[in-house]
Structure formats: C-alpha cells, structure tokens
Amino acid sequence: DAGITQSPRHKVTETGTPVTLRCHQTENHRYMYWYRQDPGHGLRLIHYSYGVKDTDKGEVSDGYSVSRSKTEDFLLTLESATSSQTSVYFCAISDSDSRGGEQYFGPGTRLTVT
Amino acid sequence: AQSVSQHNHHVILSEAASLELGCNYSYGGTVNLFWYVQYPGQHLQLLLKYFSGDPLVKGIKGFEAEFIKSKFSFNLRKPSVQWSDTAEYFCAVTLDRGSTLGRLYFGRGTQLTVWP
C-alpha cells in the first residue's frame, strides 16, 4: 500500500466549529487530492494540489479550504462545519503528470457533524 | 460537464455466478479509464486501468474490462464471483487533454453482494 495516512480517522463535531483533516504521505508524490464520499454520489473532488502552495478547487469546494506547506502534508479545513459536510473524506496522491496517472487512496476519515 | 454512469446501483449474485457491471462516460475525446474497488471499511484500491492498446484489460483477482470506444463504455467482468468479491465498485475516468492534474471523475458506484 502507498504510504498515506489520514488523521483523525473518526471525528464527531458540532455545527459551526472549525475542523481540520490531515493527509500525510511518505511517497514524495507531487499531486494530492481531497475527495468526499457520500451514498449515491460516489467520490467527488473537493480540492487538489499540484505542488507546495499550489492548490485549486474541485467540484464541491464550497465551505472547504486547503493548504499545502510541505510536499508530504495536505490539510483540509472546514471553516464552520455544517451537517451537510457529514461524510467520509479520502485523500489521494499521484506522481504522474501524464495521461491521468493512477491515484492511491488513504484510509479515509469519517466525519460526523451534529 | 463530464459524467460517468454506472447503471447498476446494487447487484446481488450467488457464488460462481458471472458478473458484468456497466460503465459509460460522456466525453468525446481520449480518455483513461479505471475501475476501483472498495471492500467494507477499507479505502479504494485499483482493480484495473486502460490507457491505450488492447481494449480488453486484465486486472487483479480475475477481473477484466473491455473498452468499447463506439459505445463510450468500459464494462467490468468476472466469470465466476466469490464471496470475497463483496464490495463497492467504482468506475472512473480522466481526460487525456494534456492536463497535468489527472483529475478523476467517478461514477456513483455499484454495491456487489455475493451470497455463499
């Protein structure tokens, strides 16, 4: 398995509180992604990064921000959590910049917003 | 907008039955195609992928998929399923437009349940 860890693995938080999820990789891959997985929707891209300090929005970015200050870490922040952000969050990494390289996924973080 | 359609939301089979899961995409250009599997409580793992060449692709655990360009399809098959194949299966696509970002577009997933 690719060296990807996510923390925390489970979190319950209250509406309106800020939450930060961490993705850490030991593969030195350039590209990192945050997805959310919801029943009936598959995985949807929230934000992605193509290098340190280089990030961009995906298809469901509202209410989320990201930061990447080091190659190995990609942080996802919910500025003010809402119940609609209850989901399972997956981080993915890729080292390929040609032809859509294979992505390797982390174990996921289950977030519940009450 | 690009889209990936998986026709079956939940498939229930008995062991040794044959499996075919449908996947269609809506992009007229060159695509790269993937099938991922997610076992209960686990992360996504790559089953197989198609970039070019032989349209019949063989993956891990006896799975294969056929790319039919004229039908915009990439169906997943397995001749004889096992109880351990119980999982959720996702079809995904990236667009070969010279983008360096490799963004994956996922289908909604198909839950496969195999009864022993």
Side-chain angles (χ1 to χ4, degrees):
Chain A
D1 288 344
I4 311 169
T5 57
Q6 293 184 231
S7 59
R9 293 294 312 280
H10 302 270
K11 186 170 181 66
V12 180
T13 192
E14 294 183 348
T15 298
T17 60
V19 177
T20 295
L21 308 183
R22 180 183 184 233
C23 176
H24 178 78
Q25 60 145 329
T26 58
E27 306 295 323
N28 201 36
H29 284 0
R30 177 181 176 186
Y31 304 97
M32 299 185 75
Y33 308 84
W34 275 109
Y35 294 89
R36 60 177 290 174
Q37 182 181 25
D38 304 290
H41 290 277
L43 277 79
R44 293 179 291 175
L45 184 65
I46 305 171
H47 281 279
Y48 55 89
S49 170
Y50 42 97
V52 173
K53 299 190 186 303
D54 291 325
T55 65
D56 208 344
K57 297 179 180 180
E59 60 185 307
V60 290
S61 60
D62 287 349
Y64 301 95
S65 62
V66 290
S67 66
R68 192 168 178 200
S69 58
K70 299 184 290 184
T71 298
E72 57 266 34
D73 289 326
F74 193 32
L75 304 180
L76 176 71
T77 297
L78 290 65
E79 303 291 346
S80 177
T82 68
S83 58
S84 64
Q85 293 176 312
T86 292
S87 186
V88 181
Y89 291 85
F90 287 98
C91 174
I93 65 174
S94 174
D95 66 347
S96 176
D97 63 355
S98 63
R99 311 199 66 188
E102 176 181 345
Q103 293 183 20
Y104 303 90
F105 286 82
T109 293
R110 183 174 296 277
L111 177 67
T112 302
V113 183
T114 61
Chain B
Q2 317 312 325
S3 70
V4 179
S5 299
Q6 292 183 240
H7 316 298
N8 312 103
H9 297 299
H10 195 180
V11 172
I12 302 173
L13 296 173
S14 298
E15 275 195 320
S18 64
L19 170 71
E20 181 161 2
L21 301 182
C23 174
N24 287 88
Y25 60 92
S26 66
Y27 179 66
T30 303
V31 295
N32 310 300
L33 298 153
F34 305 80
W35 275 98
Y36 281 86
V37 61
Q38 185 178 29
Y39 298 103
Q42 296 189 24
H43 60 283
L44 274 75
Q45 303 171 43
L46 184 69
L47 266 182
L48 47 78
K49 60 186 177 183
Y50 172 81
F51 285 164
S52 65
D54 188 344
L56 184 62
V57 179
K58 294 193 183 300
I60 62 172
K61 305 187 180 186
F63 286 90
E64 65 178 30
E66 184 175 14
F67 172 49
I68 303 180
K69 188 175 182 179
S70 62
K71 295 185 178 180
F72 298 89
S73 71
F74 189 55
N75 292 355
L76 181 70
R77 301 195 292 245
K78 186 171 185 179
S80 176
V81 295
Q82 300 173 320
W83 175 79
S84 58
D85 293 325
T86 294
E88 192 158 17
Y89 293 80
F90 294 93
C91 182
V93 170
T94 62
L95 309 180
D96 194 16
R97 299 185 292 189
S99 164
T100 62
L101 298 173
R103 176 175 170 173
L104 275 169
Y105 295 88
F106 281 91
R108 294 186 175 188
T110 297
Q111 175 64 46
L112 171 65
T113 301
V114 180
W115 293 104

